[in-house]
Amino acid sequence: MDFNDDQWKSWAFLMGQIQEGDMEAYALLLSEISPLIFNYVRKRVFNPSQVEDVYQDVLLTFHKARHTYQTDRPFSPWLFTVVRNAVWAALSKRHKVTAKEVQFETLPETSVQIHKEEGLEDDLQDALNTLPEANRRAVEMLKLQGMDLETAAKELGISKVALKVRAHRGYAQLRKKLMREN
Amino acid sequence: MKKKTATQNYIKKLPDIQRRAAEKLLAEAKPFKPVPSVLKQWLIWLGLAVLVAGLSLWIIKPQDDILQKLLQLPSGSFMLLLFVGSALAAWNGIASSMPGEEPGPAAKSWMIGILVALIAIPLFFFTSDNLAGVLEHNAESGWFCFRTVVLVAIPSWVMLAWMVSRNASFHPGWTGAWLGISAFLLGTGTIQTHCTHWETTHILVNHLLPMGLFIVIPIWIGSHWLARWKK
């Protein structure tokens, strides 16, 4: 990722223009730094399925922090501080979600097996029907229809993280209901 | 219309993922005001700190022989370190909320050094007194000092945190801590200018302990309030 001084200076100049409300400068800057940020993220995120989400979070953080850039200061330390911290924050957020998800992920499958063995599919269906629509759809798509995260998220028009959260809530609610009934 | 086409032309060459993200940001972009530099924000803090400390001292009055105390080495350096420490912590707090300007190890070491000196000077150079005596006279004057430190620290922390909340801190708990140290040291400096008790335990308990006890509050508030820019 070798960029010469002129390149960084021109980006610093564009940041100044952006702060004056120039949207064209913002588009030009995004077109030039997006590949740089994307490559930075790709090198640090080892799970390929997370790269896109982390990249979007990082770019959004850049967008929200752009008012703190001082035009008389070099651009690269500012940009890399923002990007480095944003990658770290995005990864730790996902780590927390995944850690919770793993604990619950196996539970509905076990419940389905038990229900099948005992001929209690109706109970499961009843419990599923009581879940909020968004959580029920997430559980059905991932666990009953066996769809992968990406396809299911695309079909629902939401991000993978949002889908995971919905499914996780659904598993927890389902578990509570089934345990109460049994 | 022409401008819109130009912006789209720039980003249309990007791969799908990057283009979608860029389009989203461009659609959401609104005019904004850049925040002032660390130096400008610090100068604003300086003005506010002088105002808060000056107003407080106007109400509680400085001790009669304050000039004499300032010229003596232990008491003078103690006072100087209180205000310098407050100013340095305010600078570090503001800088820690500006990406790329975060305080480095040197700034942190200086701050630790100042805090250690602020405890060491009363311990080694001021008249010793005992805790029982301090607690006994607390009912009359000690709690007044304790309260004043907190009452000066609160507005100065709130004003500084309000200013810094416009920045973008990636470590809001740390930023809250820096601002808290600055505010409490300003409070201690103010009461030290007023209070005629230059005894070790009185200073440690009634002038410096408020910071030790309550520093967790600005850290906690900071970690929530100063992280709001991310949402």
Side-chain angles (χ1 to χ4, degrees):
Chain A
M1 217 74 55
D2 288 330
F3 292 98
N4 57 33
D5 276 0
D6 289 343
Q7 183 69 79
W8 286 110
K9 276 179 194 158
S10 109
W11 289 343
F13 174 75
L14 287 176
M15 281 298 282
Q17 300 293 105
I18 293 163
Q19 291 185 345
E20 283 166 21
D22 187 343
M23 291 296 286
E24 215 177 311
Y26 197 21
L28 179 58
L29 181 75
L30 284 174
S31 73
E32 292 185 359
I33 64 166
S34 290
L36 169 77
I37 297 176
F38 189 77
N39 285 336
Y40 184 95
V41 171
R42 207 173 46 185
K43 278 183 186 166
R44 279 151 189 87
V45 179
F46 300 115
N47 183 347
S49 67
Q50 290 187 341
V51 171
E52 186 181 342
D53 285 347
V54 173
Y55 168 72
Q56 283 176 358
D57 278 4
V58 172
L59 210 61
L60 194 62
T61 307
F62 162 82
H63 179 74
K64 285 178 180 167
R66 70 198 196 283
H67 66 293
T68 61
Y69 174 66
Q70 303 293 306
T71 46
D72 56 342
R73 309 282 285 166
F75 183 56
S76 63
W78 181 88
L79 180 69
F80 282 113
T81 303
V82 171
V83 172
R84 192 181 56 242
N85 282 294
V87 168
W88 190 86
L91 283 177
S92 57
K93 188 172 82 182
R94 270 160 192 80
H95 178 72
K96 279 178 198 162
V97 171
T98 315
K100 278 185 186 169
E101 188 189 53
V102 170
Q103 292 170 10
F104 290 106
E105 219 164 25
T106 53
L107 291 171
E109 284 171 0
T110 316
S111 300
V112 170
Q113 282 165 5
I114 293 167
H115 279 241
K116 270 185 182 167
E117 281 164 17
E118 296 172 2
L120 296 172
E121 288 99 338
D122 289 347
D123 284 355
L124 175 65
Q125 195 54 53
D126 289 347
L128 262 174
N129 289 339
T130 61
L131 298 186
E133 174 70 13
N135 300 353
R136 184 177 59 77
R137 287 278 293 150
V139 174
E140 281 177 350
M141 288 171 109
L142 294 178
K143 292 298 166 192
L144 301 183
Q145 296 167 22
M147 289 169 88
D148 64 273
L149 262 179
E150 198 160 347
T151 318
K154 233 177 228 171
E155 189 157 310
L156 290 172
I158 56 173
S159 72
K160 283 189 274 182
V161 176
L163 178 62
K164 278 182 187 177
V165 171
R166 284 183 189 181
H168 165 247
R169 285 183 188 149
Y171 302 153
Q173 290 161 338
L174 203 54
R175 186 177 67 149
K176 246 187 211 170
K177 280 187 198 304
L178 290 171
M179 281 175 78
R180 212 180 297 143
E181 282 168 18
N182 292 331
Chain B
M1 191 70 184
K2 202 177 169 188
K3 266 209 155 169
K4 207 171 180 184
T5 320
T7 59
Q8 280 164 353
N9 277 343
Y10 287 128
I11 54 171
K12 77 176 180 193
K13 297 165 211 151
L14 290 171
D16 246 15
I17 295 170
Q18 296 173 34
R19 184 179 45 75
R20 277 202 310 269
E23 277 172 353
K24 201 174 162 214
L25 294 193
L26 285 167
E28 283 174 7
K30 288 177 193 155
F32 64 93
K33 209 175 153 199
V35 292
S37 65
V38 177
L39 178 65
K40 279 186 193 156
Q41 291 189 45
W42 184 80
L43 288 173
I44 295 170
W45 166 82
L46 190 63
L48 292 172
V50 169
L51 190 76
V52 170
L55 195 67
S56 309
L57 282 169
W58 180 67
I59 296 168
I60 61 175
K61 305 282 180 264
Q63 57 194 283
D64 292 337
D65 59 347
I66 185 67
L67 282 177
Q68 202 184 334
K69 285 286 178 195
L70 284 173
L71 293 173
Q72 286 167 0
L73 190 63
S75 50
S77 56
F78 184 71
M79 293 285 289
L80 184 72
L81 283 177
L82 284 173
F83 290 111
V84 168
S86 175
L88 180 64
W91 178 280
N92 286 348
I94 296 165
S96 74
S97 65
M98 297 283 274
E101 307 276 347
E102 289 89 346
K108 288 178 187 169
S109 308
W110 271 105
M111 199 63 235
I112 292 168
I114 289 175
L115 291 176
V116 169
L118 284 173
I119 295 169
I121 292 173
L123 273 176
F124 294 110
F125 298 103
F126 293 167
T127 322
S128 51
D129 54 344
N130 58 55
L131 186 62
V134 168
L135 295 177
E136 204 171 294
H137 89 244
N138 259 353
E140 301 155 29
S141 62
W143 292 126
F144 172 78
C145 296
F146 194 98
R147 252 191 347 252
T148 306
V149 172
V150 176
L151 287 176
V152 173
I154 291 172
S156 102
W157 189 85
V158 170
M159 285 190 290
L160 190 52
W162 176 78
M163 186 169 69
V164 164
S165 67
R166 288 197 57 224
N167 302 345
S169 175
F170 283 103
H171 307 286
W174 266 106
T175 305
W178 286 120
L179 304 188
I181 292 171
S182 167
F184 278 113
L185 289 184
L186 184 72
T188 305
T190 306
I191 198 63
Q192 202 62 59
T193 312
H194 160 84
C195 179
T196 50
H197 290 282
W198 285 85
E199 295 93 25
T200 305
T201 316
H202 174 82
I203 288 174
L204 292 179
V205 171
N206 293 314
H207 297 185
L208 287 171
L209 190 63
M211 180 167 71
L213 282 182
F214 301 128
I215 192 65
V216 68
I217 297 172
I219 294 174
W220 187 80
I221 298 175
S223 63
H224 290 85
W225 187 16
L226 304 176
R228 286 184 63 193
W229 70 274
K230 293 183 202 165
K231 299 202 171 98

